[in-house]
Amino acid sequence: MEHFFAAVNGIRLHCVAEGATDAPLMLFIHGFPEFWLCWRGQLKEFGRDHRAVAFDLRGHNLSDKPEGVEAYRVKPLLEDLRQLIEHLQAGREDKPCILVAHDWGGAIAWTFAAVHPQYVKKLVIINAPHTVPFARALASDPVQQEASRYMLLLRHAKAERVLQENDYARLLAMFSRTVDGHCALSEEEIPLYREAWSQAGALTGALNLYRASPLYPPTADDPGAAALKLDPVALTVHVPTLVIWGEADTALGAVLLDGLEALVPDLRIRRIAEGSHWVIHEQPRQVSAAIREFLNEA
């Protein structure tokens, strides 16, 4: 695999690529608390006939880590992605790419595809809710509010201290919320994740995604997502979209898929009963097969 840095939007993003440079671009966006490595299997699979590229989001692993919560709001994240696609597609007339995203990466990709559809040929979302139903559930659904309660800790000033304790034990424990209760990470991957989390400023950068977002459950003193006024029309995604959903996700309920076709007219949903939030680790072959089938559609 080829490692390189892309200078975009005033920062450098660490990228890892597989496949020929002149092949169609397929770009992968990770979530929390991950980094490019979560896509290693997909890079090898799709690098056979695409230029498959995964990158570390700003604030993560080897990418630059701007200071301050403001640097992690949606606009700079979207601009990072737009400029990265321009960078990777330099010299090509055909700019749209295949965009694949999970968790926080999916949150970014949903909005990006709505705002910049000219850059997205097809969209694949894995266990990441569209902004509109997620905001609705956070505001009014007690089950989703409780499932998302962890966000309040991740927004808190003590989050770095708590998550660093016992060699990142709480972060690793997140990966055990799987179908069989076993850690979704392999013994080989665990030290690589600890190394990524230990990069100077990386944990704060990752947590700033939560601190910068208005999407969180309400408290007695803060209405959270209930204060949002979203325009569903502006957030409608018109590109062909596949949503892959591990149904045993304990953080994101399948209720978040209800009515999604109103916001995504060209939609397919593939549910994986034997997958959790970490379905890309648990069921990599099923995930890749679903993506491959979607790509092969006319």
Side-chain angles (χ1 to χ4, degrees):
M1 293 186 182
E2 176 190 351
H3 291 249
F4 60 93
F5 286 88
V8 300
N9 202 19
I11 62 172
R12 295 194 320 154
L13 296 177
H14 171 244
C15 303
V16 181
E18 184 88 11
T21 56
D22 60 350
L25 178 63
M26 193 168 181
L27 189 58
F28 296 82
I29 319 176
H30 68 83
F32 178 91
E34 302 209 74
F35 63 113
W36 77 265
L37 189 70
C38 67
W39 298 115
R40 180 167 54 180
Q42 281 70 38
L43 292 181
K44 291 180 179 179
E45 164 62 25
F46 294 101
R48 295 187 293 125
D49 49 9
H50 288 78
R51 177 65 166 173
V53 180
F55 70 100
D56 295 326
L57 287 167
R58 63 164 56 202
H60 293 68
N61 192 37
L62 301 181
S63 287
D64 283 353
K65 303 164 185 67
E67 294 184 2
V69 171
E70 289 290 328
Y72 296 86
R73 297 201 185 278
V74 67
K75 286 186 178 180
L77 294 171
L78 296 180
E79 187 60 12
D80 285 356
L81 185 52
R82 190 192 71 80
Q83 291 193 27
L84 180 60
I85 294 173
E86 285 281 358
H87 176 87
L88 295 171
Q89 299 282 54
R92 301 188 189 189
E93 292 184 9
D94 190 22
K95 297 295 184 184
C97 70
I98 306 297
L99 198 58
V100 183
H102 173 244
D103 186 74
W104 251 106
I108 297 165
W110 275 125
T111 303
F112 185 84
V115 175
H116 297 299
Q118 70 273 25
Y119 287 100
V120 185
K121 184 177 182 180
K122 289 189 173 184
L123 177 67
V124 179
I125 298 289
I126 305 169
N127 283 76
H130 186 286
T131 304
V132 173
F134 193 35
R136 186 187 308 125
L138 286 172
S140 60
D141 186 304
V143 175
Q144 187 58 57
Q145 287 172 347
E146 185 58 33
S148 296
R149 195 69 56 191
Y150 70 93
M151 290 180 169
L152 301 178
L153 168 63
L154 299 183
R155 291 171 53 83
H156 200 280
K158 69 179 181 181
E160 284 88 344
R161 174 180 58 79
V162 171
L163 296 181
Q164 285 172 338
E165 289 174 352
N166 300 317
D167 206 8
Y168 302 97
R170 290 199 185 205
L171 284 178
L172 285 174
M174 290 176 63
F175 288 96
S176 293
R177 295 172 189 165
T178 54
V179 172
D180 62 10
H182 291 105
C183 184
L185 302 179
S186 68
E187 289 301 316
E188 174 197 6
E189 289 173 325
I190 289 172
L192 298 177
Y193 272 73
R194 284 192 174 117
E195 182 181 359
W197 298 330
S198 299
Q199 297 292 323
L203 192 52
T204 294
L207 291 168
N208 279 345
L209 291 175
Y210 288 93
R211 292 165 177 154
S213 173
L215 288 168
Y216 55 92
T219 67
D221 304 316
D222 186 339
L228 281 177
K229 298 291 186 285
L230 298 175
D231 179 3
V233 174
L235 292 171
T236 296
V237 173
H238 294 284
V239 302
T241 301
L242 168 66
V243 172
I244 300 172
W245 202 270
E247 293 189 297
D249 193 327
T250 59
L252 300 168
V255 66
L256 297 169
L257 300 176
D258 292 349
L260 187 56
E261 62 277 1
L263 293 156
V264 192
D266 194 352
L267 175 67
R268 304 125 185 88
I269 298 177
R270 177 68 63 88
R271 299 171 186 262
I272 300 180
E274 59 275 25
S276 71
H277 187 71
W278 310 112
V279 65
I280 60 174
H281 298 276
E282 296 167 294
Q283 303 294 339
R285 291 183 180 179
Q286 280 200 55
V287 169
S288 292
I291 296 172
R292 180 69 70 185
E293 181 181 333
F294 178 51
L295 296 186
N296 289 339
E297 288 183 10

